[in-house]
Amino acid sequence: MYAVRFAEVRRAARALVRSPVVSICAVLCLALGIGATTAIASAVSRALLQSFPLRNPQRLVAVHRITPQSGAQGTWPESAPNFVDLARASRQVEQLSAFTYRPVLLTLPQDAVRASGLAVSGSLFSMLGARAQVGRLIGPADDRTDAPRVAVMSDDFWRQRFGGDPAVVGRTMLIDGEPTTIVGVTTPDFRFPHGARIVRPELWLPLRLSSQQLALRRQNYLSMLGRLAPGATVQSAQTEMRGIFANLASAYPELNGENLRVAPLVGENVQQVRQPLLLLLGAVGLVLLIAATNVAALLLARGVQRRRELGVRAALGATRRDLLRPALIESALLTAAGVILGLGIARIAIGSIGRLAAARLPQLEGLALDGRVLAFALAISVVTAFICGVVPTLRSATVDPQDALRGGRGGGAGREHHRVLRLLAVGEIGLSLLLLIGAGLVLKAFATLLASDPGFDPGRVLSMQVIVSAQQYQNQSEVARFLEPALEAVRSVPGVQAVAAINAVPYRAWGINSNIRYEGQPADNPTEQPIVEQRLVTPDFFSVTEQRLLEGRLLRESDDDRPESPLVVVVNEALAKRDFPGRSAVGMRFYVTDTSFATIVGVVSDIKNAGPVAPPAPEMYWTYRQTGGSSTFPLMVRVRRGDPRAVIATVTAAIRGVDPQAAVSDIMPMNDVIARSLGEPRFYFSLLGSFAGVAIILTIAGLYGVLSYSVAQRTREIGIRSALGSSRAGVVRLIGLEGARIVAAGVVIGIAGGVAATRLLGAMLYDVSPLDVTAWGAAILVMLVAAAVAVITPARRASRVDPVIAMRVE
């Protein structure tokens, strides 16, 4: 029995080899469809279905501060005293922990390294159910301000910097200038979501709230997460938390207008990518459907060409099952080959998707082809095999022996098969046009972002992060002792035009924001006061960015910390328009304390500090000499000409000449910073555009195949027409009109589907209308050109049919 089955497989394989064009096309179509679908399914699975190494993650919640400015879905941090009061009073949340991001300086014998740090409250690790790979993790005892300084390393940092040496645990190192003992290493997979982020720092440190921090209720920097008590729900926890916070607002009026939002910890991080990823999955599903349609058309056409063979076999007594078996085995072989090649394509595509998503879509971190996705790939392969193989085979096996043996073409069955092929081609064109329209809209949105004015000239600007020991530079005068000589040293580097420091590099990170109260405004509800992004800069910052001075003056070196120097700021155009419409902002004052003011002395053009998608936020620029010290100095350097990367080595040497232990990292030209900020829209456009390109290729092949089949079926008719005097142009027109009717029907279907479907693209269009005429017109034009390519070749081949040969073809 086995030998017979193997013989059938061998005969089916030989039959496929004898039709190499059909076989190769079918396998490639299936591979492209299955490979692309599997790759996107991997991304969807990773983002929407990934699990985290947490204890009972469904009981974990994030607690966010919300204000009128943040909106109801805000994810803003909370102040230290509010966190402590909430943790003490809550019963619905049995454990409430907090953390805050902070860059740290790790001083090694041979180098100083900037590392991403996370200061966490002592209960966080136990609440999440984390365990140490080596040593121990941070606990409640480490939260005491008088406890020994300790830190925990991530597995990646431990292996990259120390080669995974277990002896690192217990070693004392200088972190931010202070001796700190490394007490443990986290497990390789430890991470947790919060908002849109995946939290996975390089170093974990105890939070250790000081008495000064616990006195500042308007200094919001702590992110909070907790574990629900038994029987508690997200809604009951939110109700309780809001009640507690209302009591706090009664006791501390500066909190009026604020509130809290409780959300499930796991799942919230994928909200912003859920719809785009599902849309991409729908788009790649269309590609798979087009591919399946193509293969079905190929096999259906091949079945029609084998009608005489099937008729002979039926006349000799073959049953319907006997007629079906060879075709079904051939279909299974084609599908198997397509699946194997498709999984290879998927593996390559997953790597490409991972690189595209790097740093911009943390939800796709660790993207890989896992067992769940493999099962999905096998499932869609079975469905595709049925559509591509079984349905055409069943139709082809329905053959009348007498009709087939007469050899006539163009009979009822032939016409019916031709109608089915035309319908398949119409469907392909409609689906491809739908994808083209979507890709065109996303492309226009992406081009709009690329063309948007960043507010300054980034072409010759280099950005970098500099961090020094917080222990060595603790106050404003000590900071100046490093920063001013460092800026002067960089300024003296050949080729450098200007250099400045800013607390957050444009397009890279938000700065500090706060509510401000202008002179004459009431103080009863701080959250109703305008919120402003605070930028701390050195006076030469505007020389680096070359922003336009619209009114007043810029910051000066004389704006310093002397008692006789008044507090001054420069604001951007967005703030002036929002807060002082129709009048000058220069000279306006706002409260710094209850009795002191700062004065607006100038207005400059906007920079899109939050990236190209968001509009410029209202901002004010303070000189760092009037705002206190910091151990972290993002620098921006403008060179006189050429590529700013040419001065990286000399600038780094100049900084370390002032402090050999300074860590210089994240060195990147501003053009690259801006390009990276476009990573998410580029990711969606690249994938959707790729799918549309594949769909066009498949559609051209499908339409070409249908018309070629039509020409083959109508060879005798074309020969008769030619013999009766029809010109070559007439034959071309005959086939061309048939193709035009198919294309017109497909375009109508694609337009109708586009009107309905493109409205779902709103999150990816960035102010481009879903019915944008330019994008739609371009998509339809591309479709028509592609269709013309598919129609011309079969039409020209039909025009060259020899009437004599055509009359003898049967």
Side-chain angles (χ1 to χ4, degrees):
M1 189 68 168
Y2 177 82
V4 173
R5 289 180 179 175
F6 179 77
E8 287 180 328
V9 171
R10 187 170 55 188
R11 282 198 297 271
R14 287 176 177 173
L16 292 175
V17 170
R18 286 195 297 268
S19 302
V21 174
V22 171
S23 302
I24 292 172
C25 288
V27 169
L28 287 177
C29 288
L30 287 172
L32 285 172
I34 292 171
T37 306
T38 303
I40 293 300
S42 297
V44 172
S45 172
R46 183 63 183 175
L48 306 187
L49 303 175
Q50 68 172 308
S51 59
F52 293 90
L54 308 173
R55 177 170 58 88
N56 297 329
Q58 70 278 5
R59 304 296 296 168
L60 296 172
V61 294
V63 182
H64 304 295
R65 177 174 68 101
I66 59 175
T67 72
Q69 291 84 8
S70 74
Q73 298 303 310
T75 57
W76 286 10
E78 190 54 90
S79 68
N82 290 345
F83 156 66
V84 171
D85 289 342
L86 289 166
R88 185 183 298 122
S90 177
R91 297 294 177 267
Q92 295 287 303
V93 179
E94 63 179 4
Q95 286 180 293
L96 189 66
S97 299
F99 65 89
T100 184
Y101 297 92
R102 56 178 268 204
V104 296
L105 178 69
L106 176 62
T107 305
L108 302 174
Q110 69 281 9
D111 197 8
V113 178
R114 179 184 185 272
S116 61
L118 200 75
V120 302
S121 57
S123 62
L124 183 134
F125 282 111
S126 61
M127 184 191 72
L128 297 178
R131 59 183 180 84
Q133 178 181 186
V134 182
R136 69 172 180 88
L137 302 177
I138 292 169
D142 299 311
D143 255 348
R144 300 196 319 269
T145 54
D146 61 346
R149 289 179 60 88
V150 298
V152 170
M153 287 185 180
S154 72
D155 176 78
D156 285 345
F157 190 72
W158 177 53
R159 294 183 186 280
Q160 290 170 8
R161 285 288 171 183
F162 303 97
D165 182 6
V168 168
V169 175
R171 186 184 303 174
T172 298
M173 301 180 182
L174 284 179
I175 295 181
D176 288 337
E178 295 194 13
T180 305
T181 303
I182 306 301
V183 296
V185 179
T186 61
T187 53
D189 61 343
F190 181 67
R191 68 200 189 286
F192 63 89
H194 189 267
R197 291 185 172 188
I198 304 296
V199 180
R200 194 171 189 171
E202 293 171 318
L203 287 173
W204 306 76
L205 307 164
L207 183 58
R208 292 186 176 171
L209 299 172
S210 66
S211 57
Q212 181 182 8
Q213 290 171 311
L214 291 172
L216 299 173
R217 291 198 179 266
R218 295 290 297 162
Q219 192 173 86
N220 302 297
Y221 60 95
L222 292 179
S223 298
M224 299 184 295
L225 58 159
R227 179 173 293 280
L228 294 174
T233 65
V234 172
Q235 187 57 48
S236 67
Q238 177 168 285
T239 301
E240 182 199 50
M241 284 282 187
R242 287 184 170 182
I244 298 170
F245 195 84
N247 293 333
L248 290 176
S250 297
Y252 305 98
E254 64 266 32
L255 301 179
N256 285 333
E258 295 188 357
N259 214 326
L260 296 174
R261 180 174 72 89
V262 179
L265 183 66
V266 178
E268 189 184 27
N269 67 305
V270 302
Q271 292 304 315
Q272 70 179 36
V273 299
R274 181 186 301 275
Q275 184 180 10
L277 285 177
L278 291 178
L279 285 171
L280 286 176
L281 186 61
V284 78
L286 294 182
V287 173
L288 179 61
L289 188 55
I290 293 170
T293 302
N294 245 0
V295 176
L298 284 169
L299 296 182
L300 186 60
R302 188 165 184 265
V304 172
Q305 293 172 348
R306 297 171 65 183
R307 283 175 56 79
R308 177 172 291 185
E309 172 197 340
L310 295 175
V312 171
R313 294 182 63 194
L316 293 175
T319 64
R320 181 177 174 83
R321 179 183 176 187
D322 293 333
L323 297 178
L324 284 173
R325 281 172 66 89
L328 289 175
I329 294 172
E330 290 178 19
S331 175
L333 289 176
L334 289 174
T335 302
V339 169
I340 293 170
L341 183 58
L343 291 178
I345 292 173
R347 191 177 186 86
I348 296 170
I350 286 170
S352 300
I353 290 172
R355 286 189 294 273
L356 275 173
R360 298 307 303 173
L361 288 172
Q363 297 88 345
L364 297 185
E365 179 185 325
L367 184 64
L369 188 63
D370 57 27
R372 185 165 48 198
V373 175
L374 279 172
F376 171 80
L378 293 175
I380 63 170
S381 300
V382 171
V383 174
T384 305
F386 180 82
I387 295 173
C388 297
V390 176
V391 175
T393 300
L394 288 173
R395 296 189 64 87
S396 299
T398 307
V399 58
D400 182 352
Q402 294 184 6
D403 179 65
L405 289 172
R406 281 197 296 265
R409 297 192 185 200
R415 284 195 297 270
E416 183 183 350
H417 281 88
H418 194 50
R419 279 197 298 272
V420 172
L421 288 173
R422 283 200 300 266
L423 289 174
L424 292 176
V426 168
E428 281 189 76
I429 292 168
L431 295 175
S432 295
L433 181 57
L434 178 58
L435 277 178
L436 273 177
I437 292 169
L441 289 169
V442 175
L443 171 60
K444 182 166 184 181
F446 184 62
T448 301
L449 292 179
L450 285 176
S452 64
D453 181 9
F456 72 107
D457 177 15
R460 293 179 285 115
V461 177
L462 188 71
S463 69
M464 63 188 68
Q465 300 283 337
V466 179
I467 184 168
V468 294
S469 168
Q471 186 70 17
Q472 186 176 353
Y473 304 99
Q474 293 186 4
N475 56 49
Q476 187 168 299
S477 60
E478 290 177 347
V479 167
R481 186 162 48 84
F482 165 77
L483 184 56
E484 292 180 3
L487 292 176
E488 185 58 38
V490 173
R491 198 175 291 116
S492 64
V493 169
V496 170
Q497 177 178 318
V499 59
I502 181 173
N503 64 316
V505 173
Y507 279 78
R508 200 168 219 177
W510 286 93
I512 306 163
N513 59 59
S514 63
N515 299 94
I516 62 169
R517 179 165 69 98
Y518 292 108
E519 187 175 15
Q521 287 184 336
D524 55 344
N525 193 342
T527 57
E528 291 184 357
Q529 296 164 1
I531 194 164
V532 178
E533 289 293 317
Q534 309 285 350
R535 300 287 170 179
L536 317 180
V537 301
T538 53
D540 275 351
F541 175 75
F542 303 107
S543 298
V544 174
T545 61
E546 297 183 351
Q547 288 170 264
R548 300 185 306 278
L549 177 64
L550 304 179
E551 189 180 4
R553 70 170 176 88
L554 300 175
L555 298 175
R556 300 169 180 161
E557 294 292 345
S558 58
D559 298 323
D560 55 24
D561 55 348
R562 293 174 299 166
E564 63 269 23
S565 296
L567 295 177
V568 296
V569 299
V570 168
V571 302
N572 69 346
E573 188 177 8
L575 182 143
K577 287 181 176 178
R578 184 193 67 180
D579 296 345
F580 307 102
R583 57 195 174 119
S584 173
V586 174
M588 296 297 178
R589 303 198 305 174
F590 58 92
Y591 288 92
V592 177
T593 67
D594 290 339
T595 57
S596 63
F597 296 90
T599 304
I600 298 173
V601 297
V603 180
V604 295
S605 57
D606 294 327
I607 287 181
K608 291 187 174 182
N609 280 300
V613 176
E619 296 174 342
M620 56 177 51
Y621 298 90
W622 297 78
T623 174
Y624 87 102
R625 289 297 296 266
Q626 294 185 342
T627 52
S630 171
S631 60
T632 301
F633 309 96
L635 297 189
M636 295 175 64
V637 181
R638 177 173 288 279
V639 300
R640 298 184 186 280
R641 63 182 64 85
D643 187 346
R645 285 173 289 202
V647 301
I648 289 177
T650 48
V651 166
T652 302
I655 294 169
R656 287 186 172 152
V658 177
D659 185 342
Q661 294 303 312
V664 183
S665 61
D666 295 338
I667 305 173
M668 189 180 300
M670 278 306 302
N671 276 334
D672 291 352
V673 172
I674 293 174
R676 180 172 289 187
S677 73
L678 290 168
E680 188 171 336
R682 177 183 285 109
F683 173 78
Y684 296 132
F685 162 67
S686 299
L687 291 182
L688 195 55
S690 299
F691 299 154
V694 171
I696 277 290
I697 293 171
L698 292 174
T699 299
I700 290 174
L703 183 58
Y704 174 85
V706 168
L707 293 177
S708 295
Y709 169 75
S710 176
V711 170
Q713 290 295 105
R714 300 174 68 177
T715 300
R716 189 173 186 181
E717 174 195 343
I718 292 169
I720 293 173
R721 286 176 179 271
S722 299
L724 294 176
S726 179
S727 66
R728 287 193 171 187
V731 173
V732 170
R733 188 163 51 250
L734 174 70
I735 303 302
L737 286 174
E738 181 179 356
R741 284 192 291 269
I742 294 174
V743 172
V747 167
V748 169
I749 291 173
I751 291 174
V755 171
T758 52
R759 299 183 186 278
L760 300 174
L761 294 173
M764 295 189 281
L765 295 188
Y766 313 107
D767 295 328
V768 173
S769 168
L771 300 178
D772 182 82
V773 174
T774 305
W776 279 67
I780 293 171
L781 180 61
V782 170
M783 187 72 255
L784 293 176
V785 170
V789 170
V791 169
I792 287 172
T793 302
R796 292 184 62 187
R797 190 168 69 243
S799 70
R800 293 195 293 269
V801 171
D802 187 328
V804 176
I805 297 175
M807 297 293 287
R808 291 204 302 257
V809 74
E810 298 294 345

